[in-house]
Amino acid sequence: MTSLSLKNVSKSYGTVEVLRNINLEIEQGELIVFVGPSGCGKSTLLRMIAGLERITGGTLEIDGMVVNDVPPAQRGIAMVFQSYALYPHMTVYDNMAFALKLAGKSRDEIDKAVRAAADRLQLTSYLDRLPKALSGGQRQRVAIGRSIVRDPKVFLFDEPLSNLDAALRVATRIEIAQLKESMPESTMVYVTHDQVEAMTLATRIVVLHGGDVEQFGAPLDLYERPANTFVAQFIGSPAMNLIEAEVTATGGTTSVRMADGGHADMPIASGEGDMGAAVRLGVRPEDLTVTESDDYLVSADVDMVEALGETTVLYFMSQNGEPGLIAKLPGIHQIAKGTSIRLTAAPEKLHLFDGDGKSFLYR
Ligand code: ADP
Ligand code: MG
């Protein structure tokens, strides 16, 4: 069943358009992540779903009902913010009970809901504490608990982990994943600028950039088949390498030649009109391997080596001021700075983008 439906949703502040024609169909039970760089419109889109921001174009449906003009409290949504927004003078119990008290629920009903949420979030032994006597992670769990007790149709999270330190972020991220698993019927929309959070939590990811949806798909779909160079470089770390190249053969298999003499054939279709076109070959750092063969993709001098134990990351000299290539080899390699190396990759791991940055797969 469709839980959230956005049709040509857009948002302008005066003459400034910050979101353009957003079309998304979100099924019940999904955990959708909006990801993108700061300022791309993630929070604005979430706040429009919540009803905290007016929609200036298009329609928003929740459970099949148009809610453009429905006030936030009647939309059946609950929102969790980065800043927790707990009442400092109330105990954990009272913070979680507050919305239910306002809604006029009975004392028994409230107690049952609060204790069930506390149990689910491992907060039972903290119910009598004030927020100031909790860690950041526990405070965020209380904020989540406050939304759970209301049994909303849709949960909205806006960068809930941003205020936590690195270790706690990972732990809390896993808790959110487990929480979602324990509530398979609930729909969640989660905003983050962190592609690792997006990859690990989402059933499907919406990549936003400058107010447009760049791609909407399953995490590994975006990793394996990015629609354009923006998604290619946003998903995955270190980012995908993009190498300037020229098309030398077209058809069911496309061949390209690089400036340094390297070449590649890949199982990606192209048309006769692409012959001679300036394109970009994409290859992920983790898909590159060292070769002695004359059949190489690129040949370059090692500029810096990072030996991390589990992987060795090689940084190559940048040519013509562009960021240099990065290769990520599994395990330990004794490679000195300045060494000249040839790199290759399996043909099925290669990506091809046209002059506009669009993937050949989606043309
Ligand atoms: P994100 O959450 O992805 O960082 P936001 O949704 O907060 O981005 O903001 C998207 C864009 O909308 C930004 O360029 C921001 O400056 C602009 N914006 C947000 N709120 C307002 C406002 N009240 N008036 C004018 N512009 C705004
Ligand atoms: Mg934001």
Side-chain angles (χ1 to χ4, degrees), residues 80-113:
V80 178
F81 300 91
Q82 173 184 341
S83 58
Y84 322 134
L86 300 180
Y87 299 107
H89 59 285
M90 287 187 196
T91 62
V92 167
Y93 186 102
D94 289 335
N95 262 286
M96 296 202 330
F98 190 70
L100 299 181
K101 276 188 191 153
L102 274 190
K105 302 278 184 196
S106 76
R107 185 183 291 239
D108 274 359
E109 255 179 304
I110 294 174
D111 194 62
K112 218 170 127 211

Side-chain angles (χ1 to χ4, degrees), residues 224-243:
E224 292 181 327
R225 285 175 292 280
N228 51 53
T229 51
F230 180 81
V231 177
Q233 294 206 298
F234 194 81
I235 300 290
S237 175
M240 182 187 287
N241 297 297
L242 294 176
I243 309 166

Side-chain angles (χ1 to χ4, degrees), residues 13 16 18-19 36-45 47 53 158-159 191 208:
Y13 290 106
V16 184
V18 297
L19 288 160
S38 180
C40 68
K42 305 180 294 294
S43 294
T44 305
L45 189 55
R47 291 169 61 81
E53 230 23 281
D158 194 354
E159 309 235 13
V191 162
L208 285 165

Side-chain angles (χ1 to χ4, degrees), residues 3 17 41 43 66 95 131 149 191 215 230 276 282 300 305 312 315 341:
S3 175
E17 204 174 31
S43 294
V66 176
N95 262 286
V149 296
V191 162
Q215 196 169 0
F230 180 81
V305 181
T312 302
Y315 294 81
I341 279 181

